[in-house]
Amino acid sequence: QVRLVESGGGLVQAGDSLRLSCAASGRTASSYTMGWFRQAPGKEREFVAVQDRYGVHTNYADSVKGRFAISRDNAKNTVYLQMNSLKPSDTAVYFCAASAGLALSMRVPDFTSWGQGTQVTVSS
């Protein structure tokens, strides 16, 4: 089982950028398909981005396509989410998650390991 710890959240203004980090331990992140999800108050957890274990293929939610980018540094056992042109609608708790599957899943149930989340708040 891999343990995941997110960091990098904070309070920013609309149009700003943030980079979230997800540090993996226990097993290497390169063994997993890695995803980012987010959950706003009163809403269900939703898919944001996913990357295969080789760091080659990615997929994004339509709402963040062109603004967010997922990447990984296997030497540091860390996955990142670069978020640009942030909007108030991006306000949520962001979670890093790992899936042992090979598919670029966007489904919460397919991810078996989760971090504790990091809060991102975007003011208008």
Side-chain angles (χ1 to χ4, degrees):
Q1 193 84 354
V2 62
R3 289 181 58 245
L4 304 172
V5 178
E6 302 96 334
S7 61
L11 172 63
V12 297
Q13 293 187 329
D16 285 351
S17 297
L18 273 178
R19 188 177 78 159
L20 306 183
S21 299
C22 173
S25 62
R27 293 193 66 180
T28 60
S30 60
S31 300
Y32 296 89
T33 295
M34 298 298 296
W36 286 94
F37 292 77
R38 67 187 182 186
Q39 189 166 16
K43 295 188 176 181
E44 292 188 352
R45 194 167 297 189
E46 66 174 8
F47 166 76
V48 175
V50 63
Q51 187 176 65
D52 68 358
R53 62 189 63 194
Y54 308 110
V56 174
H57 300 290
T58 58
N59 197 12
Y60 298 93
D62 288 342
S63 59
V64 306
K65 205 169 290 184
R67 299 187 298 121
F68 290 13
I70 185 172
S71 63
R72 64 172 74 206
D73 184 337
N74 286 336
K76 295 183 178 180
N77 216 17
T78 300
V79 178
Y80 304 98
L81 184 68
Q82 178 66 43
M83 305 186 296
N84 300 325
S85 302
L86 282 161
K87 304 175 181 180
S89 57
D90 295 318
T91 295
V93 177
Y94 282 71
F95 297 90
C96 174
S99 168
L102 297 176
L104 289 178
S105 176
M106 299 182 289
R107 299 176 64 246
V108 168
D110 290 338
F111 290 80
T112 53
S113 297
W114 292 82
Q116 83 290 348
T118 185
Q119 176 71 47
V120 172
T121 303
V122 184
S123 63
S124 57

